[in-house]
Amino acid sequence: MADIADQTPERIPINLVVNGAGRTLEVAPWTTLLDALRDRLELTGTKKGCDHGQCGACTVLVDGRRVNSCLTLAVMKDGAEITTVEGLAKDGTLHPLQQAFIDHDAFQCGYCTPGQICSAAGLLAEGRTRDADEIRELMSGNLCRCGAYPNIVAAIEQAMSRS
């Protein structure tokens, strides 16, 4: 009987649409979406925080939904549309959330900011949020070790009022 490792291909071709551009990659079956984005596509805005899906620093949008890219195998997203923080701005104009984070000083060290912004973009697209309490609840998977939460909530409220 052949060992299962002998049957696993070393590289699997996948196609992604990343920030509006089609990309073809060959990845090992165990490559996370996070590592494919950072290491293969050089989109380093998405951060590797805990690598266990507990901090949200790696949050990106997959087909418009918030996803922890550190817990997602790249091969599982073959054909998906991926949006990273680099893909939110359009034609040189910041996304309303990016501008709101600046307006409200919603970051300190900035490490969690890309994941916070992508998560907030997904949150707004979901359309389920009506107030600050719901923002806090639905953003609870994104941690800020600097404690900029009041400013993050204010930034999301600003973007929500303008959408």
Side-chain angles (χ1 to χ4, degrees):
M1 180 188 285
D3 183 64
I4 192 141
D6 295 335
Q7 299 172 14
T8 304
E10 286 187 35
R11 300 266 181 219
I12 298 172
I14 61 169
N15 294 299
L16 303 170
V17 176
V18 181
N19 299 330
R23 303 297 298 263
T24 299
L25 299 171
E26 289 193 6
V27 296
W30 51 84
T31 302
T32 64
L33 181 57
L34 172 63
D35 289 336
L37 292 170
R38 287 183 58 79
D39 299 339
R40 301 293 306 282
L41 298 178
E42 298 180 4
L43 294 169
T44 56
T46 305
K47 302 301 182 205
K48 184 178 277 202
C50 67
D51 222 12
H52 296 287
Q54 297 175 347
C55 74
C58 67
T59 304
V60 298
L61 301 174
V62 177
D63 296 328
R65 298 182 55 97
R66 303 181 280 170
V67 169
N68 286 337
S69 62
C70 74
L71 296 181
T72 305
L73 294 176
V75 295
M76 295 170 56
K77 298 305 170 192
D78 186 25
E81 185 172 327
I82 313 296
T83 304
T84 68
V85 71
E86 293 95 339
L88 290 174
K90 299 291 184 224
D91 300 321
T93 301
L94 293 177
H95 185 280
L97 278 163
Q98 292 170 313
Q99 186 60 56
F101 266 63
I102 292 168
D103 294 347
H104 289 275
D105 196 25
F107 48 85
Q108 286 183 28
C109 80
Y111 198 83
C112 73
T113 304
Q116 296 276 2
I117 290 174
C118 283
S119 186
L123 174 75
L124 294 181
E126 292 165 10
R128 300 183 333 191
T129 306
R130 293 180 304 277
D131 59 32
D133 287 337
E134 289 180 351
I135 291 170
R136 282 189 284 278
E137 175 65 26
L138 295 170
M139 289 290 294
S140 64
N142 291 80
L143 302 180
C144 173
R145 288 180 171 84
C146 300
Y149 296 113
N151 299 9
I152 292 169
V153 171
I156 296 169
E157 285 179 311
Q158 175 181 311
M160 189 169 62
S161 71
R162 293 182 180 172
S163 55

